Amino acid sequence: MTRLVCRPLAPVVGDLAGNQRRVLETLATLSTAGADVIVLPELVTSGYVFTSQREAASCALAADGPELAQWSAALTGDTVAVAGFAERAPDGRLFNSAALVDAGGVRAVHRKAHLWDREKLFFAPGSHPAPVVETAFGRLAVMICYDLEFPEYTRQAALAGADMLAVPVNWPLVPRPTGERPPEVVIGQAAARVNRMVVACCDRVGTERGQEWTEGTTVIGADGWVLASGGPGSAEDGVWADVDLTAGRAKALTEHADLFADRRPDLYGA
């Protein structure tokens, strides 16, 4: 079994040093505590509610810079971590990105392909499928928040062999009927169930410039059922779950039903 933890944090816009310190402390603490896979929120190094592109640019990091190298140095053993950051590309463009790192360095960087609302004022969209990385615990794919809401994109990762989607998110609070799960969690459950892969969504906490968040951190099993979730109280210890990341590789549902073998791409494309 793999020890998976999502740790909600409350980054502060523009406080790069403070945000980075909190990330490093979190990674070191959780790795030492026995976490195999760690997922942190979207844009955890910068905050989210920018007022201008200049402000966003002032919070951006290079993917090959010292900050992400420090993430790797904070990890021990085979621990893998996924966390979001504002990326400054070599050509000057800004991306809403997430990195997958281990003690050996940065293994992959995903640039958010589906930008939500005002993100389009500050960031360029990514132009590649979600990376799928072989780790000591299974094959991890990385997406960011709104990416999860496009079933073509999540299916693409599953077809590429992903055992798990690691999804840093910042979910703005939206109305929902009493007793219902957040809509984004319902979408995550569907993505998990129709692809038989684990989905781990790490939301942020706190209020930022008047924006409230869902605080809906959730780990979903490959069968689509929620394994663990947490609200504001989960920020201290994180949301932990023991999962078998490889259990979903068998796509057969019954003797005669198979999620992937029964696909009809001749009807709806590859």
Side-chain angles (χ1 to χ4, degrees):
M1 300 292 281
T2 296
R3 290 283 281 162
L4 167 63
V5 59
C6 295
R7 175 70 184 275
L9 294 173
V12 178
V13 173
D15 184 12
L16 289 176
N19 294 335
Q20 176 73 351
R21 183 180 65 255
R22 285 183 285 274
V23 168
L24 294 177
E25 290 173 352
T26 299
L27 294 178
T29 298
L30 295 176
S31 184
T32 301
D36 297 317
V37 178
I38 302 166
V39 186
L40 303 184
E42 179 180 6
L43 293 176
V44 72
T45 60
S46 63
Y48 183 89
V49 183
F50 301 116
T51 57
S52 67
Q53 189 170 45
R54 174 175 292 183
E55 182 177 55
S58 72
C59 298
L61 310 173
D64 60 355
E67 294 84 2
L68 269 61
Q70 291 170 357
W71 294 4
S72 296
L75 301 175
T76 59
D78 292 325
T79 301
V80 176
V82 176
F85 68 106
E87 180 192 359
R88 181 188 299 105
D91 62 7
R93 289 185 298 166
L94 303 182
F95 293 93
N96 183 340
S97 297
L100 186 153
V101 304
D102 60 19
V106 177
R107 299 287 307 280
V109 172
H110 171 62
R111 293 170 170 172
K112 189 174 185 178
H114 305 90
L115 298 176
W116 170 256
D117 199 35
R118 287 174 55 82
E119 293 174 26
K120 297 170 185 175
L121 303 180
F122 312 121
F123 299 112
S127 55
H128 296 284
V132 179
V133 180
E134 188 77 51
T135 74
F137 311 103
R139 297 188 288 262
L140 272 58
V142 181
M143 294 186 181
I144 302 171
C145 205
Y146 194 36
D147 284 335
L148 187 64
E149 302 198 23
F150 294 83
E152 304 91 339
Y153 207 53
T154 53
R155 173 54 59 88
Q156 186 180 48
L159 291 173
D163 298 315
M164 170 182 151
L165 291 183
V167 193
V169 306
N170 283 179
W171 286 335
L173 184 63
V174 298
R176 64 180 187 269
T178 302
E180 293 288 351
R181 295 189 187 276
E184 299 91 343
V185 173
V186 176
I187 291 168
Q189 289 183 261
R193 189 170 183 87
V194 302
N195 292 298
R196 283 192 55 77
M197 61 182 174
V198 173
V199 176
C201 300
C202 187
D203 200 3
R204 62 161 294 160
V205 293
T207 300
E208 184 177 85
R209 292 179 170 173
Q211 176 64 61
E212 295 182 276
W213 307 99
T214 300
E215 301 187 356
T217 294
T218 306
V219 178
I220 304 162
D223 55 6
W225 298 114
V226 171
L227 297 175
S229 62
S234 64
E236 184 173 348
D237 298 319
V239 175
W240 292 77
D242 292 321
V243 295
D244 182 353
L245 293 186
T246 63
R249 290 183 181 178
K251 306 301 182 182
L253 302 175
T254 72
E255 182 181 358
H256 303 292
D258 186 289
L259 277 174
F260 284 9
D262 292 340
R263 294 173 63 247
R264 291 291 306 278
D266 55 308
L267 299 181
Y268 41 76

